[in-house]
């Protein structure tokens, strides 16, 4: 770094002086940070292992469960917390050693990281000379960081899918897959203790999926026409002023939390639907699929309209000019040229909206009810997959009962369904995409 | 405000300064200054802007533009342009970029209507009807005045549907057989039929650039227009495709009035009967193609065709 004598010497360097600084900083920090992270992760186990080794023979050979309790006690005593059972000499001795090891470990850690930092700095110092390609090295390291960041999302997804998959497999060991997939009766309440009164439980998921489908269908019946027409109006017909007001308002609609929609559905729309139904002589449950579906449709309108709007605006204006130049009216241009050209984008948007509707929970929890009715009547209460997952996992649960594990099986099914939808959506989009490129 | 040394009797009375007192005088003076130094050894040539030299009138005019002005917001894009176009001729509009030739072209089928800030004044008649009058339907106008654009823009539909689009929306065919006939004749006319006869149901966007442009021409003539406007139809094409389109224009000129905007002087010389030279929103000179290219009367025209402007 003494070589950097100013602008006159700057030209002799391979990279800008700053890059040599970054390079040195990386060498100082990265190895030290890596060691720090590892140490923090491994330290508790190491100390526990050492403490256990120092225990008398009798305690060391205790079964795993009891040994765990003992270690817990030692740790609590060391931290000065309340201890279960009596405190004897062995325990205090172990606790003292635990504290000693902790202090020692901190000291070693401090020395190690500082030393590594210094070592890194000296390695960097030795490697830097005017021809050294610091810029390329720094960029390589940045590249690695980018890859690491993107793999976090990928590995998390894989991890979630695998954990759901394994739990679902455990569920299918208790309940046959055919019963789950084709059973028409859903009543997951099982007795947790032997002396409890409870049904044996039945896990037919069909009513849940029909419920989900029913509500999604109602939601899409509301959202697709309204959203699409909104998009057509905003993209092709509205003046700039109307567009300037309407677009942000729609975005506000998209920003309302779903829980707000939920109580809106439960407290306003559901009673209204019920009264309207009664006035026409129909019997409507106070929690109905119709109410939930209507509100969910309203919630999805901004999603459909903004994605369709994007798709319509993405159609090259040359198409518009061409159609107008042949003597089409604006509506003919829209329906015969622009909509067909924008269709893949619109279909993609609608499929995204369907995925959103299937996964939506809050509105259905509040407005659609919990009864797993197998029905296509929108005036009855139905329940959906997501609602059942919520109810299965809320409250005290036993982790290995079929009831709890059923949530994972439902989650897996939901994941598979939305995945299939997305794959179909992407294929539709790809099939028609190249048409106007 | 005629020039003192103006001797040609064919100069029209289209005097900008008289007709429009608020025209930007400084702008005109500025343009005149550039060429005044060269004008010394060419005393018979005009150097001032504001009057159109040559012959803006023609025999048997079909499209007549009288004192047309176009404003885009505050920008005065076309200033007092008067031009007559007869029914069976090819007229080329040339001039440097931004001179208003495309804007003028788009006035002739009211494509400027879709631009919010555009304002057109003056009068344009098509076969004696004022196309900017309230009673005149711009949609019907565009069926009579077809347009071919700079970049080929076939619809994302099959070749057949591309050509059938116009006849379908205007109800020109009563049944499938008639529609087939129109599509085949239009493709034939555009010199594309042989190349695409086996794949009429394949997407039009799969054709090469030159084929796409001929498809667009076929699509335009399928609605049986009276005038065809072409806005730099060959600027996105290679020389071979360009030559084919130019041949096509020759043939089409027998039946249609063709107005073509082009940046290629050679193209204007090859395809057109008359040439109109635009400069800064003004129509500077209109004349027979031969006259323009061999003996231009206006200094600016001369500078442009010899490559000193543009």
């Amino acid at each position: 770094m003494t070589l950097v004598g100013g602008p006159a010497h700057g030209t002799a360097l391979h990279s800008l002086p700053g890059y040599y600084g970054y390079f040195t900083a990386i060498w100082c920090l990265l190895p030290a940070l890596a060691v720090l992270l590892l140490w923090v992760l491994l330290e508790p186990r190491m100390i526990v292992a050492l403490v256990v080794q120092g225990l008398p023979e009798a305690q060391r050979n205790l079964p795993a469960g009891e040994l765990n309790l003992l270690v817990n006690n030692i740790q609590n005593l060391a931290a000065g917390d309340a201890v279960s059972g009596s405190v004897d000499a062995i325990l205090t001795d172990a606790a003292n050693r635990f504290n000693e090891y902790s202090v020692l470990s901190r000291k070693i850690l401090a020395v190690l990281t500082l030393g590594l930092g210094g070592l890194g700095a000296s390695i960097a110092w030795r490697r830097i000379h005017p021809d050294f390609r610091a810029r390329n090295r720094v960029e390589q390291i940045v590249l690695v960081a980018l890859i690491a960041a993107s793999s976090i999302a990928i590995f998390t997804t894989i991890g979630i899918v695998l954990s759901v998959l394994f739990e679902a497999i455990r569920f299918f060991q208790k309940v046959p897959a055919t019963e789950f997939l084709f059973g028409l009766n859903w009543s997951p309440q099982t007795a947790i203790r032997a002396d409890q009164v409870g049904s044996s439980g039945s896990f037919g998921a069909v009513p849940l999926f029909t419920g989900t489908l029913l509500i999604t269908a109602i939601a899409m019946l509301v959202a697709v026409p309204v959203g699409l027409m909104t998009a057509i109006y905003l993209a092709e017909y509205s003046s700039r002023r109307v567009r300037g007001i309407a677009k942000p308002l729609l975005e506000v609609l998209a920003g309302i939390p779903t829980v707000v929609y939920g109580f809106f559905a439960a407290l306003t729309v559901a009673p209204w639907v019920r009264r309207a139904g009664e006035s026409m002589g129909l019997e409507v449950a106070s929690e109905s699929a119709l109410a939930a579906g209507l509100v969910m449709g309203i919630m999805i309108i901004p999603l459909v309209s903004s994605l369709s709007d994007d798709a319509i605006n993405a159609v090259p204006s040359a198409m518009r000019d061409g159609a107008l130049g042949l003597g089409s009216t604006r509506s003919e241009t829209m329906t015969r040229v622009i909509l067909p050209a924008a269709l893949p984008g619109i279909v993609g948007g609608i499929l995204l909206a369907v995925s959103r509707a299937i996964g939506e929970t809050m509105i259905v929890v509040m407005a659609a009810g919990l009864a797993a009715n197998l029905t296509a009547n929108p005036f009855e209460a139905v329940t959906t997959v997501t609602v059942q997952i919520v109810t299965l996992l809320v409250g005290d649960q036993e982790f290995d009962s079929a009831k709890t594990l059923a949530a994972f099986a439902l989650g897996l099914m939901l994941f598979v369904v939305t995945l299939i939808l997305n794959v179909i959506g992407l294929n539709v989009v790809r099939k028609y995409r190249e048409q106007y490129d | 405000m005629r020039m003192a040394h103006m001797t040609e009797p064919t100069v029209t009375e289209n005097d900008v300064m008289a007709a429009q007192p608020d025209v930007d005088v400084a702008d005109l003076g500025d343009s005149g200054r550039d060429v005044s130094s060269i004008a010394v050894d060419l005393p018979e040539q005009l150097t001032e802007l504001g009057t159109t030299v040559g012959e803006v009138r023609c025999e048997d005019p079909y499209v007549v533009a009288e004192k047309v002005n176009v404003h885009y917001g505050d920008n005065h894009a076309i200033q007092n342009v008067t031009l007559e176009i007869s029914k069976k001729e090819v007229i080329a509009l040339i001039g440097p970029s931004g001179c208003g030739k495309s804007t003028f072209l788009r006035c002739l089928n009211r494509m400027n209507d879709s631009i919010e800030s555009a304002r057109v004044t003056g009068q344009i008649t098509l076969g004696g009807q004022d196309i900017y009058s309230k009673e005149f339907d711009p949609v019907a106008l565009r069926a009579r005045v077809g347009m071919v654009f700079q970049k080929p823009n076939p619809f994302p539909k099959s070749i057949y549907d591309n050509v059938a689009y116009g006849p379908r929306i205007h109800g020109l065919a009563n049944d499938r057989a008639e529609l087939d006939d129109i599509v085949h004749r239009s493709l034939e006319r555009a010199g594309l039929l042989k190349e695409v006869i086996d794949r009429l149901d394949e997407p039009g966007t799969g054709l090469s650039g030159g084929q796409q442009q001929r498809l667009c021409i076929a699509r335009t003539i399928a609605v049986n227009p009276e005038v065809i406007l072409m806005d730099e139809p060959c600027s996105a094409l290679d020389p071979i495709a360009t030559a084919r389109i130019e041949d096509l224009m020759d043939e089409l000129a027998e039946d249609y009035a063709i107005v073509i905007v082009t940046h290629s002087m050679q193209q204007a010389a090859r395809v057109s009967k008359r040439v109109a030279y635009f400069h800064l929103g003004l129509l500077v000179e209109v004349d027979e193609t031969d006259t323009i290219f061999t003996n231009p009367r206006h200094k600016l025209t001369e500078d442009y065709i010899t490559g000193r402007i543009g």
Side-chain angles (χ1 to χ4, degrees), chain A residues 150-189:
Chain A
S150 55
S151 48
I152 286 178
I154 295 167
F155 284 118
T156 313
T157 313
I158 293 173
I160 290 174
V161 170
L162 285 182
S163 78
V164 169
L165 187 66
F166 287 128
E167 297 300 335
I169 287 170
R170 279 176 66 194
F171 171 76
F172 288 127
Q173 282 163 355
K174 291 174 194 274
V175 176
T178 47
E179 192 199 318
F180 177 75
L181 288 177
F182 304 112
L184 302 182
N185 195 7
W186 177 265
S187 114
Q189 294 309 322

Side-chain angles (χ1 to χ4, degrees), chain A residues 238-312:
Chain A
S238 69
S239 67
R240 203 173 297 162
R241 242 186 70 215
V242 172
R243 190 180 159 87
I245 298 168
K247 262 225 128 169
L249 278 181
L250 271 173
E251 275 149 24
V252 168
L253 200 59
I256 298 175
T258 58
V259 68
V260 175
Y261 280 110
F263 63 70
F264 174 64
L267 301 181
T268 314
V269 178
W272 178 80
V273 166
R274 189 186 150 134
R275 273 200 305 279
E278 275 169 356
S279 69
M280 285 185 284
L282 293 167
E283 197 161 312
V284 181
S286 54
E287 292 180 319
S288 64
L290 188 61
L294 285 177
V295 175
M296 199 193 276
I298 302 283
M299 181 193 80
I300 292 171
I301 287 171
L303 186 68
V304 174
S305 78
S306 93
L307 289 172
S308 309
D309 191 41
D310 290 348
I312 290 171

